[in-house]
Structure formats: C-alpha cells, structure tokens
Amino acid sequence: MMKIGDKVRFVSEIGGGVIAGFKGKDIVLVEDEDGFQIPTHIKDVIVVESENYDKVPQQFQSGKTDVKGMTVKTVSLSEDPSDRPVTFKLPPEERKGGDVMSAYLAFVPIDIREVTNTRFETYIINDSNYYMYYTYLYAEGKAWQMLSSGEIEPNTKLYIDEIGRESLDQLQHVSIQIIAYKKDKPFILKTPVTTQLRIDGTKFYKLHTFQENDFFEQRALVYTIVENDKVNRPLAIDPTLIKQEMFHRNDHTTVEKPKVVKPIAPKKNEPVVIDLHAEEILETTSGMDPVDILNYQLAFFRRTLKEFANYKGTKIIFIHGKGDGVLRRAIINELRYKYKSYTYQDASFQEYGYGATQVNIK
C-alpha cells in the first residue's frame, strides 16, 4: 500500500520522486527533486523506498543511481511530506457559452448599510473561458495614468483595490484595455479591447445604485467593458449622426437649436438634476471638436433654464464634472451675464460629489 513519503519511480519512463499526496483513488502526486508535483496514475509508479530504508535495494538508496539513471533524492525521515504545499494546479475549467468575451468593472460597497460613508472594493470580472491581460487607466488632463495591470484567469473576478470617496473625482474618466488568449490549447483570436467609461461619482451616494448581480453575493455597481464580444463604447459615434443631432438644416438652410425633452413640473422641495456630461445628452460624441461639444452642452443648459423659468423657487442641479473646469466656467459666465436674476452655488458634495452647480430659479 502506497503512502505519503514513499519514494517511487515511474514504470514507463525515466524519473521518479516522493509521494506528496493523492487525488481520488487512482491519482498519486509525485514530487520530483525540483519540487514539482506530477499527477500520475497509481499503476504507473512503483515504490523504491518505504519507511524501512534498510530493506530498500542499494541502487535505490539516497545518492545511488538506478538502472535507468535516476538519482534518488534524500528525504529526512523526520520531515512530514504532508506539510509541503501542493504545487500542482489543475487547468481552469471552461463553461458552455464562455468562448465569447465578457468582462466588467465592478464597485462593491464594504458596508451597504452606510452607503454615504463606506469605502468600496474595485474588481475586474472575467466572465469568459479566456485568460485576460488588462490595463486599468484614468485620465489626467490629456494624458493617462496606470491604476492597475495584470492577468485574470478564466471565469474569475480579480480584486484591484479599495477606494474612498476622495478617489471618485480621479476616476471620472477611466479606460480599460484587454487582450484575450488561452494557454496550452488552440483558440479563436479575439480583437483587443479598448473602451472608456465615465464613472459618475454621484451614484456612489445613492443606495439604489447598487444592484443584485450574478458576480457577488452583495449588491454592486457594475459597468460593462465587453459583453458577448461586443465592446461597450459609450463615447464612440458616427460624426454624421452627431451633426444631425446638433443641427437640423431644412431646405431653407435655417438652423434649429438642440432640443431637450420638456420637463415634468418639479416636485415641491425636490431639486431637478440635469447631467451635462456629453454622453448623457448625446447619442454620440466621437468626431466632435471640443468646442462643438461645449456649445451643445451650453445650449442644453440654456434650454433647461428656459423650460423651468416659470417654476419659481425650483432648484436645478447641473452636473458638469470637475475635469479641467471649462464647462463649469462657461456655465458660471452664463449665469453672471445672461441670467443675473438667478442665484447659484456649488451643489452638495455629500449628495452629488464634486463637479455640480446648483441654480435657484427666481
């Protein structure tokens, strides 16, 4: 009967080692002299040294060489091989339907009961049969800074770091890049993924933001990076469509200003929240010059004030983000010179985070 600590050699090939453990009834883990554990069928090994060392044939004793050239490794009888870590690792299991790429960025509150004060764990989720090498970046002006990079095994989630609300302003604009591959087997080549996401810091203050999901036992805020091989591109557009969105020219070449949906009368004592981020008010933004985007945002701002002009006492929260401050300065300039009857102030950080201005309709 074989047991942990027995020295064995392979029956059908050169080499051998020490039994480090068993997997099931038929597989034995043979640890060689380099410390690697090799899963081998029990019928393919033979014991060459057991607890009674004196009875082992001389050619199999420590330091001797067997007829096939194997040097027997010296093992201290006082050492318990079961204390050694199992170094053999089974390959990742693949699942049906997992050969399409799906990956997500998730934020999980550490204490959902204290959503206004808690910190958050950040994860990247690999919901596919591919290994993924990723980079996680954030925008710093017109440049990018690395937050994290590494490899994620198939069908797993990888903890990135823990963040607090002081980090939300930095994470307003992030980018994730992914290269997918398999190891030791053929696979279908996947196009490398690059996507950019807007992380809305105001959502982290609202309990309903965090939803039940398939990846965590607790509720989480989950952003799609790629799903079923389709990359999430919230900032990608057709330039022709954006021109149609911004300006509609009829046969007389007159220009119609951007339209917003007419708002419902605001509830008493409740502010109206308007997100001016380009991806929130436009179907597409790519292909536009920064000046075009700014002009569209300001047109949206003006039309919103016009629609609420008759609702005296209304508070409107315009979320413009911190960024480089261009949109905020433009809004303040509008309020100072075109809407002098309205008062304004920074919106509550506790409720809306950085980058929001409150306008009071007088």
Side-chain angles (χ1 to χ4, degrees), residues 253-301:
T253 67
T254 57
V255 178
E256 182 178 335
K257 294 182 179 179
K259 296 180 178 179
V260 296
V261 177
K262 187 172 183 177
I264 300 173
K267 296 180 181 179
K268 188 175 181 180
N269 298 325
E270 289 190 14
V272 176
V273 180
I274 304 294
D275 193 337
L276 291 177
H277 282 108
E279 65 271 20
E280 296 294 333
I281 59 177
L282 288 167
E283 290 293 331
T284 54
T285 59
S286 181
M288 295 177 64
D289 292 332
V291 172
D292 291 335
I293 296 176
L294 178 61
N295 286 335
Y296 190 92
Q297 291 169 314
L298 289 176
F300 201 104
F301 168 79

Side-chain angles (χ1 to χ4, degrees), residues 31-37 73 85 87:
E31 182 172 317
D32 65 13
E33 59 186 8
D34 293 321
F36 293 103
Q37 294 182 2
K73 179 183 176 182
T87 58

Side-chain angles (χ1 to χ4, degrees), residues 91-349:
E93 291 187 8
E94 296 193 349
R95 60 179 177 80
K96 185 177 180 181
D99 279 343
V100 291
M101 286 179 65
S102 292
Y104 308 87
L105 175 66
F107 298 94
V108 182
I110 293 176
D111 187 356
I112 191 69
R113 297 167 298 179
E114 297 290 339
V115 69
T116 58
N117 297 309
T118 188
R119 295 177 66 82
F120 305 89
E121 294 179 338
T122 306
Y123 292 85
I124 293 183
I125 302 164
N126 178 1
D127 190 28
S128 76
N129 292 336
Y130 285 80
Y131 285 85
M132 291 183 178
Y133 188 87
Y134 76 94
T135 62
Y136 178 33
L137 318 164
Y138 71 93
E140 192 173 74
K142 295 183 179 180
W144 293 90
Q145 286 281 352
M146 179 80 74
L147 280 169
S148 176
S149 65
E151 183 183 70
I152 314 176
E153 293 188 352
N155 299 301
T156 60
K157 52 183 180 282
L158 180 68
Y159 171 81
I160 303 300
D161 63 3
E162 179 183 310
I163 64 170
R165 300 192 186 284
E166 70 280 357
S167 302
L168 295 179
D169 193 44
Q170 180 188 66
L171 297 178
Q172 284 189 23
H173 189 187
V174 302
S175 176
I176 298 173
Q177 300 172 312
I178 292 175
I179 297 176
Y181 51 92
K182 293 187 179 182
K183 296 181 178 180
D184 303 322
K185 65 186 302 182
F187 60 90
I188 297 174
L189 189 65
K190 298 293 184 179
T191 303
V193 169
T194 298
T195 190
Q196 297 181 31
L197 302 172
R198 292 282 187 182
I199 307 301
D200 185 353
T202 63
K203 291 184 177 181
F204 287 73
Y205 294 85
K206 302 172 183 177
L207 185 61
H208 65 80
T209 291
F210 303 95
Q211 301 291 327
E212 300 289 340
N213 58 89
D214 296 330
F215 309 111
F216 303 92
E217 293 183 0
Q218 61 269 55
R219 289 185 289 176
L221 172 57
V222 180
Y223 289 86
T224 299
I225 301 169
V226 55
E227 190 169 61
N228 296 329
D229 284 339
K230 185 177 181 181
V231 180
N232 180 23
R233 301 187 187 279
L235 302 181
I237 65 156
D238 182 337
T240 302
L241 292 178
I242 193 59
K243 293 299 183 182
Q244 294 175 355
E245 180 75 19
M246 289 182 62
F247 304 110
H248 173 69
R249 295 181 181 274
N250 58 25
D251 293 338
H252 302 287
T253 67
T254 57
V255 178
E256 182 178 335
K257 294 182 179 179
K259 296 180 178 179
V260 296
V261 177
K262 187 172 183 177
I264 300 173
K267 296 180 181 179
K268 188 175 181 180
N269 298 325
E270 289 190 14
V272 176
V273 180
I274 304 294
D275 193 337
L276 291 177
H277 282 108
E279 65 271 20
E280 296 294 333
I281 59 177
L282 288 167
E283 290 293 331
T284 54
T285 59
S286 181
M288 295 177 64
D289 292 332
V291 172
D292 291 335
I293 296 176
L294 178 61
N295 286 335
Y296 190 92
Q297 291 169 314
L298 289 176
F300 201 104
F301 168 79
R302 297 183 195 110
R303 290 295 300 271
T304 301
L305 291 182
K306 181 178 179 181
E307 296 289 351
F308 283 99
N310 294 325
Y311 298 105
K312 305 299 182 183
T314 298
K315 297 177 181 179
I316 306 177
I317 308 297
F318 288 101
I319 299 174
H320 43 69
K322 187 177 179 182
D324 55 11
V326 173
L327 178 56
R328 180 183 183 279
R329 289 196 296 271
I331 288 174
I332 299 303
N333 187 66
E334 293 273 322
L335 292 168
R336 284 177 177 172
Y337 297 104
K338 294 184 180 180
Y339 302 94
K340 295 181 180 180
S341 62
Y342 298 160
T343 60
Y344 63 91
Q345 64 193 68
D346 289 337
S348 168
F349 169 73

